[in-house]
Amino acid sequence: LPVPIAVFFLLYKERMVPCFNGSSHPLLSADELALETRPGDKDELSTAGQRPHTAAGHEDLLSCCQSKNFRGVSFTYFAVHITGALVLFMTDGIVGEYSGFVYSYAVEEPLAVVHKVAGYLPSLFWGFITLGRLISIPVSYRMKPATMVFINVVGVLITFLLLLIFSSSVVFLFVGTASLGLFLSSTFPSMLAYTEDILQYKGCATTVLVTGAGIGEMVLQLLVGSIIHDRGSYSFLVCGMIFGCLAFTFYALLVFFHRMYPKPSPELDEASPEKAAVPEDTGQYQR
């Protein structure tokens, strides 16, 4: 509840709620993050705060869906979006399905872990995800996002392979659960940073990646639950191995398309559908 309440409050303050836009004052006198200001327009920016506030900064929320923004864009632009979203589809899907069914897998044969002990597995998994995200903060200063994603995807693949090999070991199930949590923890932010380095985007790529991750977390849980019900608990690890292989394959395609993606030139930066306009020597922020 706090999240939708806070979002509603921000919409209300920015006068984006149709029924409540009469008396509230906007958070900013002018949307400095959205306006392209030239050196000669500083006076206009100061007077803009005196005019009635409009939602001009928010008019382009759905502009990434307009076909005119994609004229002259190479196919690699779309390929980077799609492959990046598919990597997150698989990795976030693994997070959802593993945390949701590792308990059910542990209490079934051949492991037959005591229910109380098996209950620690999801907590261990999420605990190491939290630990991994803390560790990834200082690591990200010394390592490129592409390298971090590669290590995460390969780590997930190797962990599932070892879980399959030592499928009868309760001890390694706990070790593998902790390892998966570490490798999956920083995949999402690292992928966002990696695609940002490629596309120099404002927001459209974020929408595609977050949507892909959310759909994967929902769909793969449903898929794995149905397979476990029909094929037995061992299929839980088999599904994880398959998803890990697919994640690695999509990452390899992403790197391939990254190498094909044309580097933006100064003349083409303004025409790029994902390149934000940067004011020259005005001290304003880039959206």
PDB file of all heavy atoms in Angstrom, residues 122-132:
ATOM      1  N   PRO A 122      13.983 -21.335   1.053  1.00  0.00           N
ATOM      2  CA  PRO A 122      13.614 -20.047   0.454  1.00  0.00           C
ATOM      3  C   PRO A 122      14.225 -18.855   1.178  1.00  0.00           C
ATOM      4  O   PRO A 122      14.648 -17.876   0.541  1.00  0.00           O
ATOM      5  CB  PRO A 122      12.076 -20.039   0.552  1.00  0.00           C
ATOM      6  CG  PRO A 122      11.696 -21.467   0.661  1.00  0.00           C
ATOM      7  CD  PRO A 122      12.790 -22.118   1.427  1.00  0.00           C
ATOM      8  N   SER A 123      14.299 -18.934   2.507  1.00  0.00           N
ATOM      9  CA  SER A 123      14.923 -17.842   3.267  1.00  0.00           C
ATOM     10  C   SER A 123      16.403 -17.727   2.946  1.00  0.00           C
ATOM     11  O   SER A 123      16.942 -16.616   2.825  1.00  0.00           O
ATOM     12  CB  SER A 123      14.726 -18.074   4.765  1.00  0.00           C
ATOM     13  OG  SER A 123      13.355 -18.104   5.100  1.00  0.00           O
ATOM     14  N   LEU A 124      17.068 -18.866   2.810  1.00  0.00           N
ATOM     15  CA  LEU A 124      18.479 -18.854   2.436  1.00  0.00           C
ATOM     16  C   LEU A 124      18.663 -18.244   1.050  1.00  0.00           C
ATOM     17  O   LEU A 124      19.594 -17.445   0.829  1.00  0.00           O
ATOM     18  CB  LEU A 124      19.025 -20.284   2.458  1.00  0.00           C
ATOM     19  CG  LEU A 124      20.495 -20.462   2.054  1.00  0.00           C
ATOM     20  CD1 LEU A 124      21.416 -19.851   3.104  1.00  0.00           C
ATOM     21  CD2 LEU A 124      20.815 -21.947   1.880  1.00  0.00           C
ATOM     22  N   PHE A 125      17.790 -18.593   0.131  1.00  0.00           N
ATOM     23  CA  PHE A 125      17.877 -18.082  -1.235  1.00  0.00           C
ATOM     24  C   PHE A 125      17.727 -16.559  -1.253  1.00  0.00           C
ATOM     25  O   PHE A 125      18.553 -15.845  -1.840  1.00  0.00           O
ATOM     26  CB  PHE A 125      16.781 -18.744  -2.079  1.00  0.00           C
ATOM     27  CG  PHE A 125      16.763 -18.317  -3.510  1.00  0.00           C
ATOM     28  CD1 PHE A 125      17.776 -18.691  -4.381  1.00  0.00           C
ATOM     29  CD2 PHE A 125      15.717 -17.543  -4.004  1.00  0.00           C
ATOM     30  CE1 PHE A 125      17.760 -18.302  -5.711  1.00  0.00           C
ATOM     31  CE2 PHE A 125      15.689 -17.160  -5.324  1.00  0.00           C
ATOM     32  CZ  PHE A 125      16.707 -17.531  -6.174  1.00  0.00           C
ATOM     33  N   TRP A 126      16.687 -16.038  -0.614  1.00  0.00           N
ATOM     34  CA  TRP A 126      16.474 -14.592  -0.611  1.00  0.00           C
ATOM     35  C   TRP A 126      17.531 -13.864   0.219  1.00  0.00           C
ATOM     36  O   TRP A 126      17.892 -12.718  -0.087  1.00  0.00           O
ATOM     37  CB  TRP A 126      15.079 -14.266  -0.088  1.00  0.00           C
ATOM     38  CG  TRP A 126      14.009 -14.598  -1.070  1.00  0.00           C
ATOM     39  CD1 TRP A 126      13.077 -15.595  -0.972  1.00  0.00           C
ATOM     40  CD2 TRP A 126      13.741 -13.928  -2.302  1.00  0.00           C
ATOM     41  NE1 TRP A 126      12.260 -15.599  -2.073  1.00  0.00           N
ATOM     42  CE2 TRP A 126      12.636 -14.580  -2.902  1.00  0.00           C
ATOM     43  CE3 TRP A 126      14.327 -12.852  -2.959  1.00  0.00           C
ATOM     44  CZ2 TRP A 126      12.119 -14.181  -4.124  1.00  0.00           C
ATOM     45  CZ3 TRP A 126      13.804 -12.448  -4.183  1.00  0.00           C
ATOM     46  CH2 TRP A 126      12.715 -13.105  -4.746  1.00  0.00           C
ATOM     47  N   GLY A 127      18.021 -14.518   1.273  1.00  0.00           N
ATOM     48  CA  GLY A 127      19.082 -13.897   2.058  1.00  0.00           C
ATOM     49  C   GLY A 127      20.349 -13.693   1.246  1.00  0.00           C
ATOM     50  O   GLY A 127      20.992 -12.627   1.328  1.00  0.00           O
ATOM     51  N   PHE A 128      20.719 -14.671   0.430  1.00  0.00           N
ATOM     52  CA  PHE A 128      21.920 -14.529  -0.393  1.00  0.00           C
ATOM     53  C   PHE A 128      21.675 -13.606  -1.591  1.00  0.00           C
ATOM     54  O   PHE A 128      22.637 -13.038  -2.113  1.00  0.00           O
ATOM     55  CB  PHE A 128      22.417 -15.897  -0.844  1.00  0.00           C
ATOM     56  CG  PHE A 128      23.370 -16.519   0.124  1.00  0.00           C
ATOM     57  CD1 PHE A 128      22.905 -17.218   1.230  1.00  0.00           C
ATOM     58  CD2 PHE A 128      24.740 -16.379  -0.032  1.00  0.00           C
ATOM     59  CE1 PHE A 128      23.782 -17.778   2.150  1.00  0.00           C
ATOM     60  CE2 PHE A 128      25.625 -16.941   0.869  1.00  0.00           C
ATOM     61  CZ  PHE A 128      25.149 -17.636   1.969  1.00  0.00           C
ATOM     62  N   ILE A 129      20.438 -13.462  -2.028  1.00  0.00           N
ATOM     63  CA  ILE A 129      20.148 -12.444  -3.037  1.00  0.00           C
ATOM     64  C   ILE A 129      20.412 -11.053  -2.467  1.00  0.00           C
ATOM     65  O   ILE A 129      21.021 -10.188  -3.108  1.00  0.00           O
ATOM     66  CB  ILE A 129      18.691 -12.571  -3.536  1.00  0.00           C
ATOM     67  CG1 ILE A 129      18.571 -13.738  -4.521  1.00  0.00           C
ATOM     68  CG2 ILE A 129      18.222 -11.276  -4.204  1.00  0.00           C
ATOM     69  CD1 ILE A 129      17.193 -13.910  -5.113  1.00  0.00           C
ATOM     70  N   THR A 130      19.966 -10.832  -1.227  1.00  0.00           N
ATOM     71  CA  THR A 130      20.237  -9.548  -0.572  1.00  0.00           C
ATOM     72  C   THR A 130      21.724  -9.337  -0.372  1.00  0.00           C
ATOM     73  O   THR A 130      22.259  -8.247  -0.637  1.00  0.00           O
ATOM     74  CB  THR A 130      19.510  -9.498   0.777  1.00  0.00           C
ATOM     75  OG1 THR A 130      18.117  -9.728   0.575  1.00  0.00           O
ATOM     76  CG2 THR A 130      19.713  -8.146   1.450  1.00  0.00           C
ATOM     77  N   LEU A 131      22.423 -10.370   0.090  1.00  0.00           N
ATOM     78  CA  LEU A 131      23.867 -10.266   0.279  1.00  0.00           C
ATOM     79  C   LEU A 131      24.576 -10.002  -1.037  1.00  0.00           C
ATOM     80  O   LEU A 131      25.500  -9.174  -1.111  1.00  0.00           O
ATOM     81  CB  LEU A 131      24.387 -11.555   0.925  1.00  0.00           C
ATOM     82  CG  LEU A 131      25.904 -11.640   1.141  1.00  0.00           C
ATOM     83  CD1 LEU A 131      26.367 -10.549   2.110  1.00  0.00           C
ATOM     84  CD2 LEU A 131      26.287 -13.027   1.659  1.00  0.00           C
ATOM     85  N   GLY A 132      24.151 -10.688  -2.098  1.00  0.00           N
ATOM     86  CA  GLY A 132      24.781 -10.493  -3.395  1.00  0.00           C
ATOM     87  C   GLY A 132      24.591  -9.089  -3.932  1.00  0.00           C
ATOM     88  O   GLY A 132      25.495  -8.523  -4.560  1.00  0.00           O
TER      89      GLY A 132
END
